[in-house]
Amino acid sequence: MAVTPVGVAASRLPAHPDPHLDTVLGSGLPHELSYALGGPFHLLLPERFDANAAAFERVLREAGVEGRVYYAKKANKAAVWMDRCALSGRGVDVASSGELRDALGHGVRGEDVVVTGPAKAEGLLRVAVLHGCLIAVDALDELESVLAQARALARPARVLLRRLPPAQQHSRFGLDDGQLDAALARCAQAPDAIVMEGFSFHLSGYDPLPRAELAGELIELCLKARTTGLRADRISIGGGFAVDYTDTEHWQRFLREQRPEHYHAGKSFHPGDFYPYHSPVAGPDALRAVLTTDALAQRLREAGVRLLLEPGRALLDRAGCTVFRVQGVKDRDGYGIVTVDGSSLSLSEQWFNSEYLPDPVLLPEREPHGGPYAACVGGATCLESDMVTWRKVRFPRRPAVGDLLVYPNTAGYQMDSNESPFHELPLPPKVVLDTAGGTTRWRLDRHPLA
């Protein structure tokens, strides 16, 4: 077979080296699991989740800042993350009744949960007040609903008031200046039912500077609120801590060289549509940058204000991967089309009109042979648009039926934010790996009381 011309392939975009994952992939376990499960699956590495959370906490300690890390549950709904939070006493950020029920069912204490999201349902507020959760209030009518629940249950409600970012007036989250003043006055009028613990915001983007500047404004709001007798001793700066998937050289070359002929069917993507898969300041380092901007750490200490964080993707960095089995390969003019045993709904970037870019790793079922081969990756459904990877990836050889494609570092949003059992294809199960003590064991992710 003729070697596929490399000119039609996109630039390589490998994920950062991960020796631990390489050991797992080279052990033969992925092929055994593919055979046993009969379809695509996700591998989860909970030790990485613990290490990422500990790294954020270490930055807080180094800065001398009192704070709390809450895992944003929306990033991945696997049960194992709730187990880890419950056992460690770490916090969880939820935005629905189902998420709250799942967190409580796994043993996370209500006092360790922060409830976010817009226009919260009455049932969600009732359970949140009953269990002593911290509620980020997003509107004046929502504050009245919280107050009503607190009085009906004869339990004080813990709240943060969410600030509308002045630089993002288009945002649908938060209270503007006038609404914030009204909310503060309402909280001061109801000290028996409302414990106003501070302020929060929902800010788009990954730049540490605006996050630090807005955090500074919230500190001033806390000082102002205290003059009216309110507690106001903490602020939440949400998430927005980028994950660094690949290195500078590969990322910049990809953005510079990518063009429609590098994609199946000549599809085109605007560079701004992609998640920033390379970020020079990411994860805990991004928190460090926030704390050192405008002496924010010092201001927090002097004001006696605690800092709350709600990272999702950043806590899941390198904590999982997604595995598909190749079930067909066909040649087109200058490239191939690989079809796998799942769909694009099983591996979808949260950013719309985009796709997950880090290169999949080819695990041959048999001794590899042949030369380089460029191919896109399609799903098993009958939709033309069901493409796991539109990009023509540079594989070391032509994939074959029975080979596996492993997409690295997919735990943050890619696994289930858009999943669907379309065509009655099974949802990929999540497999939890335990590598403690030098022995690799696995189990299926489970739900409470299982």
Side-chain angles (χ1 to χ4, degrees):
M1 177 174 295
V3 175
T4 302
V6 295
V8 301
S11 300
R12 292 185 61 247
L13 201 61
H16 285 300
D18 188 344
H20 176 63
L21 180 60
D22 290 343
T23 299
V24 172
L25 298 183
S27 68
L29 179 60
H31 282 283
E32 293 179 14
L33 289 171
S34 177
Y35 177 80
L37 299 173
F41 59 94
H42 305 298
L43 286 178
L44 305 181
L45 304 170
E47 292 84 2
R48 289 275 173 78
F49 177 85
D50 297 339
N52 291 333
F56 275 95
E57 293 164 347
R58 188 162 53 250
V59 171
L60 291 172
R61 288 196 302 272
E62 291 170 356
V65 171
E66 284 194 47
R68 187 77 186 275
V69 176
Y70 292 81
Y71 165 58
K73 194 178 187 305
K74 63 181 180 290
N76 188 302
K77 63 187 181 187
V80 67
W81 316 128
M82 293 301 94
D83 291 338
R84 307 303 268 212
C85 289
L87 290 172
S88 65
R90 293 192 172 102
V92 178
D93 163 27
V94 305
S96 71
S97 295
E99 288 187 340
L100 176 55
R101 182 169 59 248
D102 192 52
L104 295 173
H106 279 277
V108 179
R109 300 177 301 176
E111 64 195 72
D112 296 330
V113 175
V114 59
V115 181
T116 58
K120 302 168 193 64
E122 180 179 327
L124 173 59
L125 293 176
R126 179 169 58 252
V127 176
V129 172
L130 188 61
H131 284 272
C133 304
L134 182 59
I135 303 169
V137 172
D138 198 63
L140 291 176
D141 59 349
E142 185 171 276
L143 180 59
E144 293 301 322
S145 295
V146 171
L147 181 57
Q149 292 293 337
R151 286 178 171 159
L153 296 168
R155 294 178 66 91
R158 302 171 56 218
V159 305
L160 300 173
L161 299 181
R162 179 178 280 165
R163 170 84 160 100
L164 174 67
Q168 293 185 4
Q169 289 292 315
H170 61 278
S171 174
R172 63 190 184 94
F173 298 102
L175 300 150
D176 63 24
D177 291 339
Q179 294 165 340
L180 202 58
D181 287 340
L184 286 169
R186 192 72 174 108
C187 291
Q189 293 167 2
D192 59 317
I194 297 289
V195 180
M196 208 294 285
E197 297 192 5
F199 300 88
S200 68
F201 58 74
H202 181 281
L203 189 65
S204 299
Y206 297 98
D207 186 350
L209 178 58
R211 197 166 298 275
E213 290 176 342
L214 191 48
E217 292 184 29
L218 295 196
I219 293 174
E220 297 304 315
L221 285 174
C222 283
L223 297 176
K224 173 185 174 182
R226 290 175 189 174
T227 64
T228 65
L230 297 172
R231 177 171 164 179
D233 64 358
R234 63 201 63 197
I235 63 172
S236 173
I237 61 173
F241 302 98
V243 168
D244 186 38
Y245 291 85
T246 190
D247 61 58
T248 306
E249 180 182 355
H250 284 98
W251 180 239
Q252 291 181 348
R253 180 185 299 129
F254 169 79
L255 292 179
R256 183 173 62 250
E257 297 179 355
Q258 66 118 15
R259 54 188 187 273
E261 53 263 43
H262 289 161
Y263 299 89
H264 172 62
K267 188 175 179 64
S268 61
F269 290 97
H270 187 276
D273 293 336
F274 296 127
Y275 180 86
Y277 285 100
H278 170 68
S279 181
V281 181
D285 288 336
L287 172 59
R288 186 176 288 107
V290 170
L291 289 171
T292 55
T293 299
D294 292 339
L296 181 63
Q298 179 179 345
R299 296 171 67 186
L300 288 164
R301 293 192 301 267
E302 292 175 349
V305 172
R306 300 189 71 198
L307 185 68
L308 312 183
L309 322 169
E310 298 157 14
R313 190 190 293 252
L315 293 188
L316 298 167
D317 185 20
R318 300 191 305 157
C321 62
T322 300
V323 183
F324 294 100
R325 180 180 182 272
V326 175
Q327 63 183 34
V329 184
K330 62 177 61 173
D331 297 315
R332 283 288 186 258
D333 183 17
Y335 70 101
I337 299 176
V338 174
T339 299
V340 295
D341 59 353
S343 78
S344 57
L345 299 173
S346 302
L347 176 68
S348 50
E349 178 53 70
Q350 184 200 27
W351 286 33
F352 299 108
N353 192 34
S354 184
E355 70 173 354
Y356 188 67
L357 289 179
D359 291 345
V361 177
L362 179 65
L363 293 185
E365 183 180 40
R366 299 178 181 83
E367 188 68 26
H369 61 276
Y373 188 82
C376 59
V377 182
T381 75
C382 63
L383 301 177
E384 281 282 8
S385 60
D386 183 16
M387 297 298 298
V388 180
T389 302
W390 289 87
R391 186 168 57 97
K392 299 170 186 176
V393 178
R394 296 170 183 250
F395 290 106
R397 68 159 179 85
R398 187 179 191 271
V401 173
D403 291 351
L404 301 182
L405 292 187
V406 181
Y407 285 81
N409 205 358
T410 57
Y413 288 110
Q414 282 78 44
M415 289 185 178
D416 51 28
S417 63
N418 294 314
E419 69 178 3
S420 168
F422 182 61
H423 270 318
E424 298 191 28
L425 291 170
L427 298 179
K430 294 185 174 72
V431 178
V432 180
L433 293 188
D434 179 0
T435 58
T439 301
T440 299
R441 299 183 298 173
W442 67 271
R443 64 173 174 82
L444 294 177
D445 188 55
R446 66 182 185 275
H447 292 285
L449 307 180

